[in-house]
Amino acid sequence: MSHVVIIGCGVVGAAIAYELSLVKGLKITVCDRQPPAQASTGAALGVLMGAISQKIKGKAWQMRQTSIQRYETLIPELEALTGCKIPFNRQGILMLLSDSSLEEMSAWEKLVEIRHSQGWNLEIWNTAKLQNICPQINNEKITGAVYSPQDRQLDPTALTLALVEAAQQNGVTFKFGVTVLDAPTSTPEFCDCFETTEGKIAADWFVIAAGLGSTPLTAKLNQIIDIRPVLGQALQVRVGHPLGNPDFQPAITGNDVHIVPVGGGDYWVGATVEFPSNGDDIPPNQELLESVREQAIAFCPELATATILRTWSGLRPRPEGRPAPVIGKLPGFSNVLLATGHYRNGVLLAPATAYAIREMIISQGLGTGD
């Protein structure tokens, strides 16, 4: 029986744990220094931009497509296993277009064609259609919208907790409040154990899915994967009733600002993108959060009367000098896998990441159950 140890229990680590728990002949342990769904997962808005993204080929598109398709089966699967409800908005994503040039419009038309050939539906709406279907949108600079009925939005914390519970039911061991102290290597190319605050944990495979915590972990193995923080702030506001048509409440996005219905007349609005100015310290910039709120109000004037219930922030893990995410073997090691640095797409790409890690482990002939 192969033992797999996963370090990190955000949405990516939890998705990997659950996916591996479906494979016969694996013993799985997940360690995290804090409870599940903290850090970037707890701060994410869960807007799954797949078909509406500009990625059309290669790994970037493939992973998006795989994840969006997997979520359709994963959410009901987890709800049935755990009895927990995972808020999952199946009403699509509506992207507002403002001052779009002819060039930009033809790029969208081309994307609609490409998606159609890939089996995905995208629609371009003119202002009259937008006004008719979403009367809450009122801004003369908006020239139309792109509607993606197959993209989704979900609650990342509820999802992660359900993944943990389902994985536990399938025999996965979770250890929270456990910090990795060192990773001694007795043989080259093979890491046989991690030293933690709970003693040594030996394993056949180690999966590093610790977001920003991945950099110090890889440093202990003398192979630094440089992941830097990017702060995001968001807010929850209460209008008290649904905006526009109560029966049609998609996630709305425009100019990188999301307006996400979360039920009961409440909306999430976000998020800022704030880079560190010196070192890795990023104090949340109030003015930037206010400008995100003002942008949302500009799209949807009724939000001006909304009460702010809470604001929050989180750090996203962004790989330095290389594309996100970082998935694959840690250089120099045959049994240390990386599933980290997802930047702004951790929730979106978690299922595809879990599939990729599962394939790497199974392809080595370990844990196939035979």
Side-chain angles (χ1 to χ4, degrees):
M1 198 179 222
S2 287
H3 187 192
V4 181
V5 169
I6 301 161
I7 310 294
C9 194
V11 67
V12 172
I16 294 167
Y18 175 68
E19 207 54 61
L20 290 181
S21 78
L22 304 175
V23 178
K24 283 188 171 58
L26 286 184
K27 179 188 171 192
I28 303 150
T29 307
V30 181
C31 299
D32 199 315
R33 57 185 182 203
Q34 35 187 8
Q38 305 290 306
S40 52
T41 298
L45 300 179
V47 179
L48 309 176
M49 299 176 85
I52 208 164
S53 82
Q54 300 291 339
K55 311 284 187 196
I56 53 172
K57 57 182 194 291
K59 202 168 150 190
W61 163 243
Q62 210 43 60
M63 285 190 75
R64 276 175 163 77
Q65 175 165 262
T66 298
S67 281
I68 293 283
Q69 286 168 337
R70 175 61 174 137
Y71 271 125
E72 292 305 306
T73 57
L74 181 63
I75 300 293
E77 198 175 296
L78 292 172
E79 289 186 333
L81 269 169
T82 64
C84 300
K85 186 89 190 81
I86 302 164
F88 187 50
N89 187 340
R90 292 179 168 86
Q91 297 198 315
I93 295 176
L94 184 69
M95 184 178 283
L96 306 176
L97 306 177
S98 48
D99 306 331
S100 42
S101 60
L102 285 171
E103 211 173 292
E104 209 179 322
M105 217 50 217
S106 72
W108 280 112
E109 283 160 4
K110 194 174 169 197
L111 185 66
V112 169
E113 275 174 40
I114 290 166
R115 288 293 181 249
H116 194 74
S117 72
Q118 293 170 329
W120 295 84
N121 186 18
L122 272 189
E123 303 166 13
I124 294 176
W125 293 0
N126 61 19
T127 46
K129 185 168 184 177
L130 177 62
Q131 193 56 48
N132 186 33
I133 298 175
C134 293
Q136 71 269 37
I137 304 296
N138 186 3
N139 181 317
E140 67 235 18
K141 287 189 177 152
I142 291 171
T143 51
V146 179
Y147 177 54
S148 179
Q150 289 154 297
D151 283 333
R152 302 284 181 255
Q153 183 274 332
L154 53 77
D155 183 318
T157 301
L159 166 69
T160 304
L161 296 177
L163 285 164
V164 169
E165 194 176 317
Q168 270 172 328
Q169 285 185 26
N170 290 345
V172 176
T173 303
F174 287 85
K175 294 172 181 280
F176 299 114
V178 173
T179 305
V180 175
L181 303 171
D182 204 9
T185 50
S186 49
T187 50
E189 286 213 358
F190 194 83
C191 175
D192 37 28
C193 75
F194 274 9
E195 279 176 13
T196 76
T197 45
E198 271 206 358
K200 282 187 178 178
I201 299 181
D204 304 289
W205 292 93
F206 291 94
V207 181
I208 297 176
L212 288 163
S214 304
T215 300
L217 273 175
T218 55
K220 294 180 200 306
L221 293 159
N222 299 316
Q223 288 287 349
I224 295 189
I225 302 296
D226 191 6
I227 295 173
R228 306 279 175 90
V230 178
L231 185 87
Q233 297 184 76
L235 39 115
Q236 180 166 343
V237 302
R238 175 160 292 164
V239 185
H241 57 86
L243 296 166
N245 177 355
D247 297 324
F248 184 63
Q249 294 284 303
I252 294 172
T253 185
N255 196 21
D256 210 19
V257 169
H258 302 310
I259 303 167
V260 178
V262 288
D266 284 9
Y267 291 82
W268 288 346
V269 176
T272 64
V273 179
E274 303 172 50
F275 291 87
S277 46
N278 47 355
D280 276 351
D281 194 36
I282 321 173
N285 181 327
Q286 275 317 111
E287 286 168 22
L288 284 176
L289 184 59
E290 183 52 31
S291 72
V292 164
R293 190 177 85 93
E294 283 166 7
Q295 175 74 82
I297 291 168
F299 291 147
C300 195
E302 218 180 324
L303 285 171
T305 62
T307 313
I308 297 173
L309 296 184
R310 66 183 179 113
T311 64
W312 70 92
S313 66
L315 297 172
R316 311 175 181 100
R318 180 176 178 268
E320 182 65 22
R322 64 191 287 177
V326 181
I327 299 169
K329 283 185 177 167
L330 180 68
F333 288 90
S334 60
N335 71 325
V336 180
L337 304 177
L338 298 164
T340 188
H342 287 72
Y343 189 29
R344 300 178 71 187
N345 289 311
V347 183
L348 170 62
L349 299 179
T353 302
Y355 275 163
I357 294 295
R358 187 191 66 184
E359 287 313 302
M360 284 175 218
I361 289 173
I362 290 177
S363 68
Q364 300 289 318
L366 289 176
T368 47
D370 43 43

